Amino acid sequence: MAILKPISKFSSTTPIFSNSRCVKFATFRMSSTSPPTTAKTVAKGGKKAAKTAIKETLLTPRFYTTDFDEMETLFNTDINKNLNQSEFEALLQEFKTDYNQTHFVRNKEFKEAADKIDGPLRQIFVEFLERSCTAEFSGFLLYKELGRRLKKTNPVVAEIFSLMSRDEARHAGFLNKGLSDFNLALDLGFLTKARKYTFFKPKFIFYATYLSEKIGYWRYITIYRHLKENPEYQCYPIFKYFENWCQDENRHGDFFSALLKAQPRSLMIGRLSCGPDSSVSRCMLPCTSTTVNALLSTRALD
């Protein structure tokens, strides 16, 4: 994003525009506890548009919680002898380097491009930004809490989670700033308090987040490469950032790969029943939905 702000700054406050023309800015909320609401927006030139919040479906990005006490046990070096602390320390140095610290800097192309997007493409693109922002913010919340809870048990792993939450906050802020180009914004503070949280046991958190991060990497790099080869479809400059952006996702996935290797009992899941009615299939369904959502977003943008 233009300037990385603390997550507490994400609010429904109407931004102040420097130009003299009046632009109304609609903040909308998404909650699984209430029906979607419609917010009216007024774009430049007084053009009216209706905005409907994302309808809750299987593909809607979720917020997650887990058994944090069990997490503390899993990352206790006195209990879990499979933890490869040297690998985690090497990964920590990667995260501390913060390769994308100055990458998410916006320019005037964003607003100019948004004003040119109209019709069905505009609706699809806004939904893409909404879902992506919600998914990134979901990661921020989970990683932040894990970083806080594991400080005493395993400071190295805790710091990695905190640095990953930094990345996710940066991504969510950048995407939400993109929504402002369409005179909209997600009320992330409201989402934090009002949205339902899906409970996953730690081992499923490892699987779900590993898949999500690695799928995110391939999602971003695939879109980037496609648009680089077909620049005539480059409708919005956010895609130019995907080449570096995807490396954040890849590093996150590498970290969860290391976590899975440190939890050999979790890998026994492959020997369990994975039929359509099994408990494993029901628990992993959100992972599948993440895959489908990524593919749908890529296809929609094509």
Side-chain angles (χ1 to χ4, degrees):
M1 55 183 165
I3 299 177
L4 178 60
K5 299 179 180 179
I7 201 69
S8 60
K9 295 280 184 163
F10 293 136
S11 67
S12 59
T13 305
T14 304
I16 300 175
F17 294 86
S18 58
N19 57 16
S20 57
R21 288 175 289 183
C22 179
V23 181
K24 290 186 180 179
F25 191 97
T27 300
F28 54 93
R29 299 173 171 180
M30 295 163 45
S31 171
S32 58
T33 60
S34 59
T37 57
T38 300
K40 296 289 184 179
T41 69
V42 179
K44 286 186 177 181
K47 183 171 62 176
K48 292 185 178 181
K51 176 71 195 76
T52 303
I54 294 176
K55 182 180 179 181
E56 291 290 330
T57 69
L58 181 64
L59 300 181
T60 305
R62 302 182 180 203
F63 283 9
Y64 297 95
T65 187
T66 189
D67 186 336
F68 293 105
D69 291 333
E70 184 180 344
M71 281 285 193
E72 290 178 25
T73 301
L74 290 172
F75 291 108
N76 189 318
T77 53
D78 294 330
I79 298 175
N80 188 351
K81 303 300 182 181
N82 293 304
L83 292 172
N84 188 342
Q85 284 298 108
S86 60
E87 183 176 10
F88 290 136
E89 287 169 2
L91 285 167
L92 177 57
Q93 294 308 311
E94 278 281 298
F95 283 102
K96 282 184 174 180
T97 302
D98 196 7
Y99 297 99
N100 286 333
Q101 182 178 13
T102 60
H103 178 61
F104 295 92
V105 179
R106 288 164 48 90
N107 54 48
K108 64 179 182 179
E109 292 180 27
F110 282 80
K111 183 59 179 172
E112 292 173 355
D115 289 341
K116 295 177 183 178
I117 300 176
D118 210 345
L121 177 60
R122 188 180 182 91
Q123 180 180 351
I124 291 172
F125 194 75
V126 166
E127 185 171 325
F128 164 75
L129 290 175
E130 290 174 14
R131 291 184 184 277
S132 298
C133 181
T134 305
E136 297 282 1
F137 188 65
S138 170
F140 159 75
L141 293 174
L142 178 63
Y143 296 160
K144 181 183 179 183
E145 184 62 16
L146 283 168
R148 187 182 70 83
R149 293 292 294 265
L150 296 174
K151 275 184 179 180
K152 294 182 179 179
T153 305
N154 195 318
V156 173
V157 170
E159 188 171 1
I160 292 175
F161 273 118
S162 295
L163 292 175
M164 289 200 304
S165 74
R166 170 205 66 195
D167 295 341
E168 301 293 322
R170 185 178 290 160
H171 301 165
F174 194 65
L175 288 159
N176 211 13
K177 193 67 176 177
L179 281 168
S180 72
D181 295 327
F182 297 85
N183 304 327
L184 298 166
L186 275 173
D187 188 339
L188 299 177
F190 171 81
L191 284 181
T192 303
K193 299 176 182 178
R195 194 167 179 77
K196 286 183 178 179
Y197 285 69
T198 300
F199 177 85
F200 265 15
K201 293 283 287 181
K203 65 181 179 181
F204 292 117
I205 286 289
F206 296 153
Y207 281 106
T209 48
Y210 170 75
L211 289 172
S212 178
E213 297 289 3
K214 285 298 184 180
I215 290 167
Y217 164 77
W218 285 108
R219 176 196 194 191
Y220 289 133
I221 196 62
T222 299
I223 293 174
Y224 174 82
R225 289 171 179 170
H226 171 73
L227 294 177
K228 186 176 181 181
E229 294 175 0
N230 303 273
E232 65 274 19
Y233 298 118
Q234 184 78 256
C235 62
Y236 190 69
I238 197 170
F239 303 118
K240 298 176 183 178
Y241 292 72
F242 278 11
E243 184 179 29
N244 286 21
W245 189 334
C246 74
Q247 295 305 323
D248 282 345
E249 312 295 329
N250 201 35
R251 277 185 287 273
H252 295 184
D254 289 343
F255 171 62
F256 280 102
S257 176
L259 292 187
L260 285 169
K261 287 188 293 182
Q263 312 296 336
R265 290 185 62 187
S266 296
L267 297 177
M268 296 295 288
I269 187 174
R271 299 185 182 182
L272 300 176
S273 170
C274 289
D277 297 323
S278 70
S279 60
V280 173
S281 294
R282 288 195 296 272
C283 287
M284 294 308 292
L285 192 56
C287 303
T288 305
S289 74
T290 301
T291 309
V292 175
N293 193 28
L295 293 174
L296 287 176
S297 296
T298 305
R299 177 58 60 85
L301 288 169
D302 282 347

